[in-house]
Amino acid sequence: MNYRHAFHAGNAGDVLKHLVLAAVLERLKAKPAPITVLDSHAGAGLYELDEAGGEWQQGIGRLARHPAPTWPAVAGPYAAVLGDDWRLYPGSPLVALRCLREQDRLIACETEAEVADDLAAAIGRDPRAAVHRRDGWSALRAFLPVKAGRAVVLIDPPFEAAGEFDLLARHLVEAAKRASTAIVIGWYPVKGRAAADRLHQALRGAGVAKTLAVELLTQPDHDATRFAGSGLIVIRPPWQLDEALAADLPGLLALMGYAGTGSTRIEWLTGEMQAED
Ligand SMILES: C[S@@+](CC[C@H](N)C(=O)[O-])C[C@H]1O[C@@H](n2cnc3c(N)ncnc32)[C@H](O)[C@@H]1O
């Protein structure tokens, strides 16, 4: 599948995904234990946002009209990652690396040769990072559990092929079970409610505790022919991240000018009490 993320880079889905990734890593850094980020579908790493247009205009372009100090607190680590040069927009591996410390590691997987080369170039010589040109789904099995410290897993498939919602559900659960302390994050598009609700239902019944769903919708989600926004599944989110997102995402949506059409959702699909298996 010849997917190019460049057209989508910096859209509202990226804002949610990268904001949450940065917020998760910021909270983990409160402890000295090393962090390994496993990014199964990594993309090119850096994207020049084209003046002529692109989905970024409906995403980071709207947020960046407002000075970063006015963004809600949960977006602080994301703002720090972007700095002043958000037009050279960082994808998830670069968001991770900009958050990570010396003792931390990034494993980034990408199947497209050209994209993997671009990613390696965007990263440059960084001893914390390894780029693998390989299938990300099987990488979850190959690299988990990590040898030391805490893992943060990001599963961000292109959603071009049929069955990717099922693949995502299956691999989120498998990764969470293989790596019993990992934070496992999966991104999904919302186009009508049916597929997202089925994903939520699958995760409710999967026997994995502490599964949070977070959605940032810029449009109403009742029309199955139209993208409404996107969501993240976050298994084992850091303490009180749910509260921070619930408090701050509505303000972020309003800042982006979507208060009239959009909505946010923060919902625990499974809680503390559910057995792991
Ligand atoms: C949505 S984009 C990733 C965006 C990136 N995670 C970010 O947030 O900046 C999906 C990427 O996955 C790659 N891809 C598609 N199938 C893959 C697979 N089976 N394993 C690894 N990468 C894959 C595509 O080439 C594309 O670059």
Side-chain angles (χ1 to χ4, degrees), residues 21 24-25 28 35-41 107 136-137 139-141 143-146 150-156 168 171-172 174-176 178-179 181-187 232-236:
L21 178 60
V24 164
L25 293 173
L28 287 193
I35 302 165
T36 299
V37 175
L38 173 54
D39 191 342
S40 64
H41 296 69
I107 302 168
W137 301 113
L140 297 168
R141 217 163 295 140
F143 292 113
L144 294 176
V146 296
R150 196 87 194 266
V152 175
V153 181
L154 175 64
I155 310 179
D156 182 22
L168 178 63
H171 284 86
L172 282 167
E174 200 182 308
R178 284 185 77 81
T181 63
I183 296 171
V184 185
I185 305 170
W187 183 91
L232 293 172
I233 300 296
V234 188
I235 298 174
R236 307 183 193 110

Side-chain angles (χ1 to χ4, degrees), residues 101-236:
R101 304 157 301 182
E102 200 181 338
Q103 68 266 39
D104 303 325
R105 296 287 174 268
L106 168 72
I107 302 168
C109 303
E110 169 60 52
T111 42
E112 292 289 321
E114 218 179 290
V115 179
D117 287 348
D118 286 347
L119 175 58
I123 290 175
R125 283 176 195 275
D126 187 329
R128 302 171 303 164
V131 175
H132 297 266
R133 191 190 156 206
R134 62 164 291 165
D135 171 52
W137 301 113
S138 62
L140 297 168
R141 217 163 295 140
F143 292 113
L144 294 176
V146 296
K147 292 190 188 87
R150 196 87 194 266
V152 175
V153 181
L154 175 64
I155 310 179
D156 182 22
F159 281 97
E160 286 196 312
E164 276 186 307
F165 270 93
D166 293 339
L167 268 181
L168 178 63
R170 187 148 53 79
H171 284 86
L172 282 167
V173 170
E174 200 182 308
K177 289 185 175 177
R178 284 185 77 81
S180 60
T181 63
I183 296 171
V184 185
I185 305 170
W187 183 91
Y188 59 92
V190 176
K191 195 177 176 188
R193 283 256 40 110
D197 285 350
R198 252 198 332 272
L199 174 69
H200 291 186
Q201 204 48 40
L203 288 158
R204 280 194 190 94
V208 174
K210 291 194 256 180
T211 301
L212 185 70
V214 182
E215 291 184 357
L216 184 78
L217 306 184
T218 59
Q219 304 299 325
D221 60 2
H222 51 68
D223 182 351
T225 64
R226 196 171 163 197
F227 280 105
S230 69
L232 293 172
I233 300 296
V234 188
I235 298 174
R236 307 183 193 110

